[in-house]
Amino acid sequence: MIAREWKVRCPRYHEEGFISYLYETGVKETSETEGFQGAQIFKRDIDGKSEITLISYWKDLECIKAFAGEDIGIARLYPEDEKYELKPDFHVSHYEVVESRLNQ
């Protein structure tokens, strides 16, 4: 399994709206792509801004290409992103998942 990590910062007053928009765009689109295995969204405050991290989980790198295109290291951005005054990372990181265990 591969984890794909993307980060963005936005003003705190846009946090809730942007997370909802993220579900409507990136999370929705990835979840409709073959090989998608789940996602997590994290948030934290940094220097008066909200940092939001999206980690999506994939069967393999080929499945990520179906979503991201040939250069999987480039972030997929959406048309209304600027409405939320984002400072996005333009690159994403990929990790081989060695262990995954969540106790609910």
Side-chain angles (χ1 to χ4, degrees), residues 9-13 15 44-51:
R9 288 189 185 182
C10 69
R12 284 189 200 162
Y13 56 83
E15 177 185 292
R44 64 181 176 165
D45 290 335
I46 295 184
D47 299 327
K49 303 245 184 226
S50 292
E51 181 183 76

Side-chain angles (χ1 to χ4, degrees), residues 3-51:
R4 177 180 169 89
E5 176 191 53
W6 176 71
K7 292 181 181 288
V8 64
R9 288 189 185 182
C10 69
R12 284 189 200 162
Y13 56 83
H14 281 309
E15 177 185 292
E16 215 172 285
F18 176 69
I19 290 174
S20 293
Y21 178 67
L22 185 58
Y23 276 109
E24 295 168 15
T25 56
V27 174
K28 180 180 185 295
E29 195 170 336
T30 57
S31 66
E32 295 171 348
T33 304
E34 186 177 334
F36 172 81
Q37 297 185 333
Q40 294 177 303
I41 297 175
F42 302 94
K43 67 177 186 171
R44 64 181 176 165
D45 290 335
I46 295 184
D47 299 327
K49 303 245 184 226
S50 292
E51 181 183 76

Side-chain angles (χ1 to χ4, degrees), residues 38-88:
Q40 294 177 303
I41 297 175
F42 302 94
K43 67 177 186 171
R44 64 181 176 165
D45 290 335
I46 295 184
D47 299 327
K49 303 245 184 226
S50 292
E51 181 183 76
I52 299 162
T53 302
L54 171 62
I55 300 180
S56 54
Y57 298 95
W58 299 85
K59 178 181 171 188
D60 56 35
L61 293 174
E62 289 303 312
C63 294
I64 295 172
K65 284 182 184 178
F67 165 71
E70 223 22 67
D71 189 349
I72 62 170
I74 302 295
R76 289 266 321 257
L77 301 176
Y78 290 87
E80 292 185 39
D81 283 356
E82 62 186 49
K83 170 179 164 182
Y84 299 98
E85 302 177 65
L86 302 181
K87 301 284 188 233

